[in-house]
Amino acid sequence: MNRFGPYRLIHPLEHVRGWQRFIALHEQDDTDHIVYRHPSVREPSERRRLVEAIRPLAQVRHSHLLEVSAYSFDQHERLCLITPYTGNQEGLVTLADLVERRSGRLEVAEVARCVDHLLTAIAAARTGGLTDGPVQAERVLVDRRGSLRIELFGLPGPDRRRRGVCTAADQVRAIAGMAAWLLTGLRQDVPSAAIARIAGRSARGWDAWIETALDPLGGFETPEEALAAMPGHAEATREHTPEPVVTPGASLRFAEMLRRFRRTPAEQARKD
């Protein structure tokens, strides 16, 4: 089935925690969205538990959390979530994609903005009662303005089992590790003394912040605490936008593919 209500599923994406993902077209207002589809659930009790697990996620609204616009079961008892489409003509862009296209590193001002977005998103999610594992760059979407959105923080897997407790301090440590990677291009543990040496003089102050944030005993307890101590926090809120790097050829090919998917069979026959 390639439909869900007014949404036509036009292109599959990689799964997320066992949920299928599709770029979808709302045919009435001609807007693009993402549909997340859970495997079929037959038992009424299981369906209720799944909806209860999704409800808090759908209720939390924040500019740096990907919001759930609507959710319901399709005719095959599969729960479907509708979210905005944050990508461009090339497709969805994650923070991991952006770093790869920037030759492995971001500018210090861009890193500060990324950390600001992620910490405020985690604070809002936890205030709304959501829990999840450590934030990963592959689950952070970059929209067309360069703003970050964590992709469905708190999304349950098909078995809906807990994956272990991830505290607020754990989330801060994960974001601090990500900041070290964004500044240096190194995924492995980076000595704090090496961060400013690799990233340049403008990164001074980040080495001490990252060292504190990564400390399992004396680190920041909450995202709010980490945010307040962040180097140049006032500057981090300015519009230092990390624009995605788009490969023109790939973008045009993807755009043409979307146009082909969006055409009706009769339109496609005339085009061919």
Side-chain angles (χ1 to χ4, degrees), residues 89-91 101 246-257:
Q89 290 182 326
E90 195 178 14
R101 296 169 190 184
V246 177
T247 305
S251 175
L252 292 174
R253 288 194 298 272
F254 193 85
E256 174 60 22
M257 180 178 66

Side-chain angles (χ1 to χ4, degrees), residues 12-28:
L13 302 170
E14 291 184 7
H15 294 195
V16 171
R17 289 192 177 173
W19 293 69
Q20 295 176 304
R21 288 190 304 173
F22 302 88
I23 297 177
L25 171 69
H26 191 294
E27 294 185 312
Q28 295 174 4

Side-chain angles (χ1 to χ4, degrees), residues 17 19 38 46 49-50 53 131-133 154-165:
R17 289 192 177 173
W19 293 69
H38 190 277
E46 285 297 306
R49 278 193 285 270
L50 178 58
T131 59
D132 208 329
L155 181 71
D159 58 9
R160 293 180 295 290
R161 294 177 183 171
R162 287 188 176 274
R163 298 290 188 254
V165 177

Side-chain angles (χ1 to χ4, degrees), residues 4-255:
F4 174 62
Y7 300 92
R8 181 153 54 95
L9 311 184
I10 60 175
H11 183 64
L13 302 170
E14 291 184 7
H15 294 195
V16 171
R17 289 192 177 173
W19 293 69
Q20 295 176 304
R21 288 190 304 173
F22 302 88
I23 297 177
L25 171 69
H26 191 294
E27 294 185 312
Q28 295 174 4
D29 57 19
D30 196 37
T31 55
D32 294 320
H33 302 264
I34 298 293
V35 172
Y36 295 76
R37 192 168 68 189
H38 190 277
S40 179
V41 177
R42 300 292 183 181
E43 292 295 326
S45 60
E46 285 297 306
R47 294 177 64 188
R48 285 194 296 272
R49 278 193 285 270
L50 178 58
V51 170
E52 286 301 315
I54 289 297
R55 184 172 289 119
L57 189 157
Q59 290 173 339
V60 175
R61 291 288 188 271
H62 189 270
S63 57
H64 301 305
L65 293 171
L66 184 66
E67 69 179 60
V68 175
S69 307
Y71 61 99
S72 182
F73 288 92
D74 67 12
Q75 64 187 37
H76 297 290
E77 312 296 345
R78 297 174 297 195
L79 184 62
C80 296
L81 314 181
I82 308 298
T83 74
Y85 177 72
T86 61
N88 52 34
Q89 290 182 326
E90 195 178 14
L92 290 180
V93 179
T94 68
L95 183 56
D97 295 329
L98 179 61
V99 174
E100 181 179 355
R101 296 169 190 184
R102 289 292 190 84
S103 300
R105 289 166 54 183
L106 298 183
E107 297 294 330
V108 174
E110 295 174 330
V111 174
R113 190 165 185 258
C114 289
V115 171
D116 180 274
H117 289 188
L118 295 176
L119 288 174
T120 56
I122 292 298
R126 297 188 70 86
T127 299
L130 300 180
T131 59
D132 208 329
V135 176
Q136 299 174 324
E138 292 75 14
R139 290 278 305 281
V140 176
L141 302 176
V142 184
D143 69 17
R144 280 158 282 193
R145 296 175 301 140
S147 184
L148 304 189
R149 299 194 197 184
I150 300 177
E151 184 181 24
L152 298 182
F153 186 89
L155 181 71
D159 58 9
R160 293 180 295 290
R161 294 177 183 171
R162 287 188 176 274
R163 298 290 188 254
V165 177
C166 185
T167 66
D170 294 331
Q171 292 287 2
V172 172
R173 280 193 289 273
I175 293 171
M178 193 181 299
W181 162 57
L182 295 175
L183 288 167
T184 66
L186 302 175
R187 280 277 197 175
Q188 66 270 27
D189 292 339
V190 182
S192 59
I195 291 175
R197 187 171 68 248
I198 296 172
R201 298 175 64 180
S202 60
R204 288 179 179 174
W206 279 97
D207 44 8
W209 185 88
I210 290 172
E211 183 176 17
T212 300
L214 292 176
D215 187 343
L217 298 178
F220 304 115
E221 292 295 326
T222 66
E224 293 88 347
E225 184 182 346
L227 190 62
M230 199 175 78
H233 174 53
E235 301 233 348
T237 59
R238 296 179 186 173
E239 291 299 312
H240 296 294
T241 302
E243 293 292 346
V245 176
V246 177
T247 305
S251 175
L252 292 174
R253 288 194 298 272
F254 193 85

